[in-house]
C-alpha cells in the first residue's frame, strides 16, 4: 500500500472531521432490530430505528422469508433483464401497485437506487428540476447524474417554488429564443421528500399537485418515511391528504416494510420507460428472490393490519406529549420522526452518549446531514414501544439535556 498517497487523499478530511465533532463510527448492536436491542451487553431502548412497524421479528414474517430462501435460494443470478427476473419480483411489483393505488410498479435493489435511477432517466441536460432544499442525498445525487439545471427552493415554501419555476421558464425562453411564455417544449420535474427525514415534517402534496398541474411540470415524491406510516392504512401521503397521487411515487422496502429494496409506482408508461432507461435498474444484479418474497409478505401484513399503523401514531402522540410535560420543545408531527434540537455538535454527541449509557439509544445527527449549528437528537418510534418505555425514555432525555 502506498501510505503516503493514501494520506494525501484521506488524512486531512479525517482529522478535520474529528476536530469538528463530525467524525462517524459504527455502533455494534448484537441483537436483532426491535424496540429493545443489546449494546455492549446492555439492554437498551431503541429510539433510532426506521423499522417503524417493528415487522423484522414478527414470527410469521420471518418464517415466510425462511421458506422463500429454501424455495428460491440465496441469490438471483443475474440482472432483471437477463436471468434475474423471478416470480417473487413480479408478485412484489403487482402488490406494490395495488397497495399504492397505481397502474404499475418497478422494484429496485435500494431506495437510493430508485431515486438516482429515476431522476437521471427522466431528466437530461436540457431539462429543469425543482428540488426542496432539505431533500435526501439520493435525490440530490440523482439530480447531479441527470445533468439537468437544478433550482433549489426553500423548504416547503410554495411561493419560492413558483418563483423558481418562473425563473426556469424565463431562462428556457431566452435559451431557445422563444417569446415569453412560449414554453410548449419546457420539461420540468418537481421532486420532494414526502416526509423529511431529519425534521419529520410533511410535504404539502395538494399544493404541490396544483402547482405542478398549473405549471406543466411532473411531480415526484419520495415516500421512504411515509409508506407504512402515513394515512389510515399506511399507504402514504396521498392517503394522508385524501388527494390525487403524484406522477412518480418512489419508496423504500427497508424502513416500515422491514425488508430490503426500493420501488417506483405510477403509470404503466412510466414503469416501462424505467425498465428501458433507468441505469440503476438495468445494470445491476436483481435483489435475491427471497428478499422480494419477504418484502411482499411484509407489505401484505401491513395491508391486513392497519391497527399497527394506528398504534405507531398513538405512540408518537404520547411520546411528544410526554416530552412536553418534561419541559422539552418538540414540534407537532404526523410522522414517526421527532427531532430534539440541541444546536452544538459536541453537546449533541455528549448527550447521545450519556443517554446510551443510561439505556436509551437516540443518535446525535450532525453536519453535513443537517446544517451547522442545528445538531439534534433524532427520535424515531416503533409501533411496539410501550407507554412505560416511552415515559422512561422521555424522562431520561429531559434529565440529561
Amino acid at each position: 500500500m502506498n501510505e503516503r498517497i493514501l494520506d494525501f487523499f484521506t488524512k486531512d478530511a479525517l482529522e478535520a472531521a474529528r476536530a469538528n465533532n463530525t467524525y462517524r463510527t459504527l455502533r455494534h448492536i448484537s441483537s436483532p432490530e426491535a424496540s429493545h436491542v443489546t449494546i455492549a451487553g446492555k439492554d437498551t431502548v431503541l429510539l433510532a430505528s426506521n423499522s417503524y412497524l417493528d415487522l423484522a421479528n414478527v414470527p410469521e414474517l420471518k418464517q415466510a422469508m425462511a421458506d422463500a430462501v429454501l424455495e428460491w435460494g440465496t441469490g438471483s443470478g443475474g440482472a432483471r433483464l437477463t436471468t434475474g427476473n423471478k416470480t417473487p419480483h413480479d408478485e412484489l411489483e403487482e402488490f406494490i401497485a395495488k397497495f399504492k393505488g397505481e397502474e404499475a410498479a418497478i422494484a429496485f435493489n435500494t431506495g437510493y437506487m430508485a431515486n438516482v435511477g429515476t431522476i437521471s432517466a427522466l431528466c437530461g441536460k436540457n431539462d429543469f428540476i425543482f428540488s426542496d432544499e432539505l431533500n435526501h442525498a439520493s435525490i440530490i445525487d440523482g439530480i447531479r447524474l441527470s445533468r439537468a439545471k437544478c433550482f433549489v427552493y426553500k423548504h416547503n415554501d410554495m411561493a419560492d417554488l413558483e418563483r423558481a419555476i418562473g425563473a426556469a421558464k424565463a431562462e428556457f425562453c431566452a435559451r431557445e429564443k422563444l417569446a415569453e411564455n412560449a414554453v410548449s417544449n419546457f420539461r420540468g420535474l418537481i421532486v420532494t421528500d414526502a416526509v423529511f427525514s431529519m425534521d419529520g415534517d410533511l410535504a404539502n402534496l395538494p399544493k404541490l399537485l396544483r402547482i405542478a398541474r398549473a405549471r406543466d411540470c411532473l411531480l415526484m415524491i419520495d415516500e421512504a418515511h411515509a409508506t407504512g406510516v402515513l394515512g389510515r392504512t399506511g399507504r402514504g401521503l396521498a392517503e394522508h391528504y385524501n388527494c390525487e397521487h403524484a406522477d412518480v411515487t418512489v419508496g423504500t422496502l427497508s424502513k416500515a416494510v422491514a425488508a430490503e429494496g426500493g420501488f417506483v409506482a405510477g403509470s404503466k408508461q412510466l414503469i416501462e420507460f424505467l425498465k428501458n432507461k433507468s441505469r440503476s435498474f438495468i445494470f445491476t444484479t436483481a435483489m435475491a428472490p427471497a428478499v422480494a418474497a419477504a418484502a411482499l409478505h411484509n407489505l401484505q401484513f401491513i395491508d391486513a393490519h392497519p391497527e399497527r399503523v394506528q398504534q405507531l401514531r398513538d405512540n408518537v402522540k404520547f411520546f411528544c406529549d410526554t416530552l412536553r410535560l418534561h419541559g422539552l420543545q418538540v414540534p407537532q408531527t404526523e410522522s414517526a420522526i421527532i427531532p430534539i434540537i440541541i444546536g452544538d455538535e459536541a453537546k449533541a454527541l455528549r448527550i447521545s452518549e450519556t443517554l446510551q449509557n443510561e439505556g436509551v439509544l437516540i443518535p446525535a445527527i450532525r453536519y453535513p446531514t443537517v446544517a451547522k449549528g442545528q445538531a439534534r437528537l433524532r427520535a424515531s418510534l416503533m409501533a411496539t414501544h410501550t407507554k412505560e418505555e416511552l415515559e422512561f425514555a422521555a424522562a431520561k432525555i429531559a434529565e440529561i439535556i
Side-chain angles (χ1 to χ4, degrees), residues 37 70 129 160 178 188 211 217 221-222 246 260 321 338 367 375 400:
V37 294
L70 293 175
I129 298 177
D160 197 47
L178 298 172
I211 292 171
C217 292
I221 60 169
D222 176 5
E260 286 185 19
D321 288 346
I338 303 102
Y367 177 84
I400 290 165

Side-chain angles (χ1 to χ4, degrees), residues 303-315:
D303 188 44
H305 295 279
E307 72 277 2
R308 196 100 168 186
V309 179
Q310 183 60 50
Q311 183 59 48
L312 174 63
R313 188 174 295 114
D314 292 344
N315 276 353

Side-chain angles (χ1 to χ4, degrees), residues 194-319:
V195 175
F196 292 89
S197 59
M198 293 301 117
D199 292 283
D201 56 335
L202 312 186
N204 191 324
L205 183 55
K207 288 185 178 179
L208 287 164
L209 284 166
R210 286 198 291 273
I211 292 171
R213 301 298 176 260
R215 306 304 295 268
D216 298 316
C217 292
L218 279 179
L219 175 61
M220 172 178 163
I221 60 169
D222 176 5
E223 296 211 302
H225 296 274
T227 301
V229 176
L230 293 184
R232 185 181 61 83
T233 63
R235 280 168 165 77
L237 202 60
E239 184 181 52
H240 172 79
Y241 284 114
N242 191 27
C243 69
E244 185 183 349
H245 292 201
D247 302 296
V248 185
T249 298
V250 178
T252 183
L253 302 166
S254 61
K255 294 183 170 60
V257 182
E260 286 185 19
F263 65 85
V264 178
S267 69
K268 290 180 180 178
Q269 181 172 322
L270 169 69
I271 301 310
E272 289 303 308
F273 172 82
L274 293 175
K275 287 177 183 177
N276 283 275
K277 293 296 183 181
S278 175
R279 294 173 66 84
S280 61
F281 174 81
I282 297 167
F283 297 109
T284 191
T285 299
M287 71 168 72
V291 172
L296 170 62
H297 290 128
N298 290 11
L299 267 175
Q300 290 171 333
F301 184 91
I302 296 171
D303 188 44
H305 295 279
E307 72 277 2
R308 196 100 168 186
V309 179
Q310 183 60 50
Q311 183 59 48
L312 174 63
R313 188 174 295 114
D314 292 344
N315 276 353
V316 171
K317 183 179 186 307
F318 177 82
F319 186 62

Side-chain angles (χ1 to χ4, degrees), residues 4-46:
R4 183 183 66 82
I5 298 299
L6 182 62
D7 280 352
F8 181 73
F9 277 91
T10 64
K11 187 176 180 181
D12 289 349
L14 290 174
E15 289 179 351
R18 291 186 181 96
N20 295 328
N21 297 296
T22 58
Y23 188 80
R24 285 160 168 76
T25 58
L26 295 175
R27 180 184 288 109
H28 179 73
I29 298 174
S30 56
S31 62
E33 193 84 346
S35 58
H36 281 246
V37 294
T38 302
I39 303 175
K42 182 181 180 66
D43 182 66
T44 304
V45 178
L46 181 62

